[in-house]
Amino acid sequence: MESLKEKILIDGIALSEDVLKVDSFLNHQLDPELMVDIGKEFAKRVEGGKKVTKILTIEASGIAAALTTGLELGVPVLFARKKKSITMTDDNYVSQVYSFTKKEESDITVAKRFLNEDDHVLIVDDFLARGAAAFGLISIVEQAGASLAGVGIIIEKAFQDGGTKLREAGHPVYSLVRIQSLEKGKVYFVEEE
Ligand code: G4P
Ligand code: NA
Ligand code: NA
């Protein structure tokens, strides 16, 4: 997605060789027009396949793109909670996600009444690094007996192993941009065909 690459080159900051800061349009402040374009792009990637019935993401930074994707596909947007809400008195699907940055396990939770075996789910998230969040969300889809349309990722860090692990497990991954490396403060994209 060319407009996203340009945005990253102009506004992204390579904080280190592993971490890209994009808080001016994705992780803190949001660019609404870009989010709408991202939603359209994810919708295009699943066009022609089995009809998606639900978008699933994880709070917080996945929600904006999940919303615009759901708007485009005309389906509800469900976000897994990291902290159980006091109103979550229902039966829940729970999955453990290990955070490499925080070096701790945490539970993510989705109420059972919002996801079932009739659903065909498109997962959306902002970053793909080691894939912990994506596999946690896939586990929730599996617990529900639902099927997976794929995993839509805004920025895949291709030098980390999440993308490889997801593809090896047979899950379709739709990454809008793939980063090859972050070296000396510069962003290098994977050259696509
Ligand atoms: P993983 O799910 O792919 O294994 O990634 P990891 O545990 O490393 O990621 C933990 C958090 O850091 C996630 O956000 C993820 O989106 C974010 N993250 C990973 N790599 C980058 C990066 O290069 N740049 C930025 N800006 N974020 C990155 P989170 O803690 O769940 O927070 P939230 O933003 O969704 O609230
Ligand atoms: Na994030
Ligand atoms: Na995220």
Side-chain angles (χ1 to χ4, degrees):
M1 188 178 170
E2 285 308 315
S3 59
L4 177 60
K5 280 188 185 171
E6 272 167 39
K7 191 80 177 170
I8 291 170
L9 289 175
I10 294 166
D11 290 339
I13 300 164
L15 276 190
S16 66
E17 310 241 309
D18 307 312
V19 178
L20 177 67
K21 182 168 170 165
V22 284
D23 64 349
S24 68
F25 62 92
L26 185 58
N27 290 131
H28 191 21
Q29 176 171 260
L30 294 168
D31 180 331
E33 280 182 25
L34 180 66
M35 288 303 141
V36 168
D37 291 344
I38 285 170
K40 288 183 178 155
E41 195 66 33
F42 281 136
K44 226 189 270 174
R45 305 286 173 112
V46 295
E47 217 173 56
K50 185 181 167 191
K51 192 185 162 9
V52 169
T53 64
K54 200 152 286 195
I55 311 299
L56 176 64
T57 188
I58 181 167
E59 63 178 350
S61 298
I63 295 176
L67 178 67
T68 57
T69 307
L71 186 66
E72 201 60 35
L73 291 173
V75 298
V77 175
L78 179 60
F79 60 96
R81 297 244 180 192
K82 289 178 179 165
K83 292 246 154 51
K84 234 178 110 184
S85 153
I86 53 160
T87 63
M88 284 190 99
T89 52
D90 310 289
D91 255 359
N92 300 312
Y93 305 116
V94 180
S95 152
Q96 264 125 42
V97 172
Y98 179 76
S99 166
F100 290 92
T101 34
K102 293 169 195 146
K103 306 233 184 312
E104 62 183 25
E105 288 268 348
S106 58
D107 284 349
I108 63 170
T109 308
V110 166
K112 286 188 178 172
R113 72 196 163 100
F114 295 127
L115 203 60
N116 65 48
E117 65 275 7
D118 297 325
D119 283 309
H120 190 53
V121 180
L122 176 63
I123 290 173
V124 165
D125 207 358
D126 55 344
F127 272 93
L128 176 59
R130 275 100 155 200
F135 278 105
L137 292 171
I138 290 169
S139 162
I140 284 176
V141 171
E142 287 170 346
Q143 289 173 49
S147 56
L148 183 70
V151 181
I153 296 292
I154 301 176
I155 302 175
E156 175 180 347
K157 293 190 290 181
F159 56 88
Q160 293 183 303
D161 64 0
T164 304
K165 286 194 292 189
L166 286 170
R167 292 179 182 98
E168 278 178 3
H171 305 303
V173 181
Y174 307 112
S175 298
L176 302 188
V177 304
R178 302 180 72 222
I179 292 177
Q180 179 72 59
S181 67
L182 298 168
E183 274 165 23
K184 301 192 176 77
K186 265 198 79 175
V187 180
Y188 297 90
F189 295 103
V190 174
E191 292 301 328
E192 312 282 355
E193 57 283 3

